[in-house]
C-alpha cells in the first residue's frame, strides 16, 4: 500500500481530476465513502456523490475564514493505492484506511473536535483519495512536515494488519547481533546498470548503506536498497566499494560484484555500461534466439524480476515522474495522478506475470523429462535382448525347426 501526497488551491479544482474530465475515456464515477465536516452546521452527505462537498466549499470554509494567513494551497490530497496482488478493499475498509491516515498525520486526530475537515472519495478500484484542508476549526494551520513519512509508515502497518505484508517483530540490537550479522549482503550491478544491495534486514546495515549513499525502497516486495538513478556511472563503483568496506568493517559477509570493486587490479574503469535502449535490444535478441525454455526464462527474468527487472525500473520511473510533476508545479496534480495511474498499470502487469518465469521453468523441466523418456524408450528398443524377444515373438510357426518326439520316462520297465 502506497500513499502519495499533493496540494491544491481549492477542492473545486480537484473535480476534473476525480471525475476524469481531463481523460473522458475513463468515465469515472466518484463516490463519497466517508467524511468528517467537524464544525460545519450544514447538512452534508457522508456517502454518495461528492460533487456537493467538493464544489460547495464546505472543506474550504476554515481556510476562507483565515484569510491572508492561509496557505496559497490549503487543500491536502492523499492518494492511496493498494497492492494489486491482493483482493481490493471494500468501501468500509477504505473508509477506515482514510480515518487512520488523517489521524496519524494529525489532519484530524481522534477525539480532537478542532481538527481539519476531510472527505474520502473513490473513483477507481484499489485506491482512495482523501481530500482535506490544512486549516483547523480553531483557525490554526496544520503543519504538513513529515506527513508523507507518517502516512507511508501507517500504510505499511495497515498492509500488515490486512495480511498483505509479513509482520516484523521489533527487536533490540545487541553486541552479539553486530558480531554475527545475518544474512550475507550482496551488492551487484543489474543488467540495467543499477546498483542494488540485497539481504540487508537489520538497522545497522540499513544505516551503513544509507550513509554510503544507497536509498531504501520499501514496498510490498520488502526492504531493498539501490543507488539513486542520478548517481553518475563513474561514481557507482566507488560508492559500492565504500559501502562494502564499511559493512565488512562491521563484520558483515559482503558479496561485491567484481565489476564494482575498485580494489581489484584494473578496477571497473572503462567498462561499458549498457544504455536502456541497448539493454532492451539485447533482451529482445535473447528472447528471439532462445533455443530452450531455460534460455527463454533467463531472458524474461531480466524483465519480470520484482527487484531489478525492466518493468520494475519503468514502475519506479513513472512514480518518480509523478512526484516530480508536483514538485516542479504544485498545480500539476492532474498530470501527477495520470502518471501514478500509469505506474499502477505497470505494477498490475508485474503481478499478472509474477509466476510466468516459474511456469516456463516448469515447461523446461517437463521438456527435459519427455526427452529423457524418449531416449530411454529408444535405448530399450535397441537393446539386443529386446530385439531377440521381439524377433522370436514375431517369427511364424512354420519357420520353427522340427523337433523329435521323445517319450516321457515313467520310471517303470517291462
Amino acid at each position: 500500500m502506497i500513499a502519495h501526497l499533493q496540494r491544491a488551491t481549492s477542492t473545486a479544482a480537484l473535480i476534473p481530476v476525480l471525475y476524469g474530465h481531463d481523460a473522458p475515456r475513463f468515465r469515472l464515477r466518484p463516490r463519497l465513502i466517508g467524511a468528517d465536516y467537524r464544525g460545519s452546521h450544514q447538512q452534508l452527505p457522508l456517502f454518495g456523490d461528492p460533487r456537493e462537498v467538493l464544489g460547495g466549499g464546505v472543506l474550504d470554509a476554515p481556510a476562507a475564514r483565515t484569510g491572508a494567513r492561509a496557505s496559497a494551497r490549503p487543500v491536502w490530497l492523499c492518494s492511496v493505492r493498494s497492492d494489486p496482488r491482493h483482493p481490493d478493499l471494500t468501501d468500509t475498509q477504505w473508509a477506515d484506511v482514510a480515518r487512520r491516515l488523517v489521524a496519524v498525520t494529525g489532519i484530524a486526530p481522534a477525539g480532537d473536535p478542532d481538527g481539519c475537515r476531510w472527505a474520502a472519495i473513490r473513483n477507481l478500484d484499489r485506491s482512495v483519495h482523501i481530500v482535506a484542508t490544512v486549516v483547523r476549526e480553531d483557525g490554526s494551520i496544520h503543519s504538513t512536515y513529515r506527513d508523507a513519512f507518517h502516512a507511508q509508515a501507517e500504510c505499511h502497518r495497515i498492509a500488515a494488519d490486512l495480511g498483505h505484508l509479513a509482520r516484523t517483530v521489533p527487536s533490540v540490537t545487541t553486541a552479539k547481533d553486530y558480531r554475527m550479522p545475518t544474512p550475507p549482503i550482496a551488492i551487484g550491478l543489474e543488467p540495467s546498470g543499477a546498483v542494488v544491495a540485497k539481504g540487508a534486514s537489520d538497522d545497522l546495515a540499513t544505516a551503513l548503506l544509507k550513509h554510503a549513499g544507497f536509498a531504501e525502497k520499501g514496498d510490498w516486495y520488502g526492504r531493498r536498497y539501490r543507488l539513486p538513478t542520478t548517481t553518475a556511472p563513474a561514481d557507482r563503483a566507488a560508492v559500492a566499494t565504500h559501502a562494502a568496506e564499511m559493512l565488512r568493517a562491521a563484520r558483515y559477509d559482503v558479496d561485491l560484484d567484481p565489476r564494482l570493486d575498485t580494489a581489484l587490479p584494473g578496477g571497473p574503469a572503462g567498462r561499458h555500461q549498457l544504455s536502456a535502449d541497448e539493454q532492451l535490444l539485447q533482451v529482445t535478441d535473447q528472447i528471439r534466439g532462445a533455443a530452450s525454455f531455460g534460455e527463454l526464462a533467463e531472458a524474461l527474468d531480466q524483465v519480470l524480476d520484482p527487484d531489478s527487472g525492466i518493468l520494475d525500473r519503468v514502475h519506479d520511473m513513472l512514480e518518480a515522474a509523478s512526484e516530480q510533476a508536483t514538485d516542479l508545479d504544485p498545480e500539476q496534480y492532474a498530470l501527477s495522478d495520470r502518471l501514478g495511474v500509469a505506474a499502477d498499470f505497470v505494477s498490475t502487469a508485474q503481478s499478472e506475470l509474477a509466476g510466468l518465469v516459474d511456469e516456463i521453468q516448469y515447461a523446461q523441466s517437463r521438456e527435459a523429462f519427455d526427452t529423457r523418456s524418449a531416449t530411454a524408450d529408444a535405448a530399450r528398443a535397441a537393446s539386443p535382448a529386446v530385439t531377440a524377444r521381439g524377433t522370436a515373438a514375431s517369427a511364424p510357426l512354420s519357420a520353427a525347426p522340427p523337433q523329435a518326439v521323445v517319450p516321457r520316462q515313467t520310471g517303470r520297465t517291462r
Side-chain angles (χ1 to χ4, degrees):
M1 186 170 288
I2 300 174
H4 179 47
L5 297 183
Q6 302 176 71
R7 298 287 292 275
T9 55
S10 67
T11 54
L14 298 176
I15 292 180
V17 179
L18 298 177
Y19 280 82
H21 293 176
D22 293 340
R25 65 183 182 277
F26 288 147
R27 298 181 180 179
L28 303 179
R29 295 181 178 178
R31 61 184 183 275
L32 192 65
I33 62 171
D36 190 341
Y37 307 114
R38 298 291 173 167
S40 175
H41 301 294
Q42 184 179 352
Q43 294 295 327
L44 296 167
L46 297 178
F47 305 97
D49 191 347
R51 196 184 299 269
E52 180 182 357
V53 176
L54 294 175
V58 178
L59 299 180
D60 304 281
R65 292 196 303 264
T66 305
R69 290 196 304 110
S71 168
R73 292 179 290 122
V75 176
W76 184 89
L77 175 64
C78 179
S79 302
V80 185
R81 296 188 290 273
S82 64
D83 186 346
R85 298 175 300 175
H86 297 279
D88 195 5
L89 306 184
T90 63
D91 285 355
T92 302
Q93 289 175 310
W94 276 119
D96 183 60
V97 170
R99 292 188 189 93
R100 291 180 61 170
L101 288 176
V102 295
V104 75
T105 55
I107 287 289
D112 183 2
D114 293 328
C116 303
R117 301 181 184 185
W118 62 272
I121 300 168
R122 294 198 67 189
N123 62 355
L124 289 171
D125 294 337
R126 304 186 183 282
S127 65
V128 67
H129 299 281
I130 308 168
V131 182
T133 177
V134 296
V135 180
R136 294 163 49 86
E137 289 297 308
D138 58 6
S140 61
I141 299 176
H142 165 71
S143 173
T144 59
Y145 177 68
R146 292 182 67 82
D147 273 5
F149 170 80
H150 293 303
Q152 190 56 56
E154 186 66 15
C155 281
H156 276 72
R157 286 190 286 267
I158 294 172
D161 292 341
L162 293 172
H164 295 182
L165 288 176
R167 287 186 177 273
T168 56
V169 179
S171 59
V172 178
T173 304
T174 64
K176 181 180 179 181
D177 297 323
Y178 289 120
R179 289 194 301 270
M180 301 179 62
T182 57
I185 301 172
I187 303 177
L189 182 65
E190 302 297 335
S192 63
V195 178
V196 179
K198 302 178 182 178
S201 58
D202 60 285
D203 294 338
L204 176 60
T206 299
L208 293 174
L209 285 170
K210 287 184 176 180
H211 181 72
F214 282 78
E216 180 179 0
K217 180 180 179 182
D219 53 23
W220 44 75
Y221 291 115
R223 215 172 186 182
R224 297 179 286 163
Y225 307 86
R226 180 186 302 162
L227 282 186
T229 55
T230 55
T231 306
D235 297 334
R236 294 174 185 173
V239 174
T241 301
H242 179 56
E245 290 174 350
M246 288 194 297
L247 290 167
R248 286 168 180 160
R251 305 190 66 179
Y252 283 88
D253 182 11
V254 181
D255 180 15
L256 178 62
D257 193 317
R259 295 173 295 177
L260 298 171
D261 195 346
T262 58
L264 293 178
R271 289 177 181 161
H272 176 63
Q273 299 288 342
L274 291 180
S275 66
D277 182 60
E278 290 173 333
Q279 185 194 6
L280 288 173
L281 291 176
Q282 185 183 73
V283 173
T284 303
D285 290 341
Q286 290 178 7
I287 292 174
R288 288 175 176 169
S292 65
F293 281 113
E295 294 180 3
L296 179 60
E298 182 178 354
L300 286 176
D301 190 53
Q302 300 179 50
V303 180
L304 305 178
D305 188 274
D307 289 325
S308 56
I310 295 174
L311 284 183
D312 183 59
R313 295 288 186 270
V314 174
H315 174 270
D316 291 348
M317 178 270 293
L318 291 172
E319 285 281 1
S322 175
E323 296 176 1
Q324 189 66 15
T326 50
D327 288 343
L328 295 174
D329 184 355
E331 297 298 326
Q332 292 297 331
Y333 40 80
L335 174 61
S336 177
D337 196 57
R338 290 179 64 185
L339 288 167
V341 171
D344 282 345
F345 287 157
V346 175
S347 182
T348 301
Q350 281 184 282
S351 64
E352 290 292 335
L353 300 173
L356 184 62
V357 174
D358 293 336
E359 294 179 16
I360 294 176
Q361 290 174 341
Y362 173 77
Q364 176 194 11
S365 62
R366 185 66 185 178
E367 180 184 48
F369 175 78
D370 293 340
T371 302
R372 288 195 300 269
S373 299
T375 303
D377 291 342
R380 284 195 296 270
S383 172
V386 175
T387 303
R389 287 198 300 271
T391 303
S394 60
L397 293 177
S398 58
Q403 298 179 356
V405 179
V406 179
R408 185 178 59 177
Q409 299 295 329
T410 61
R412 296 177 60 187
T413 58
R414 289 185 179 180

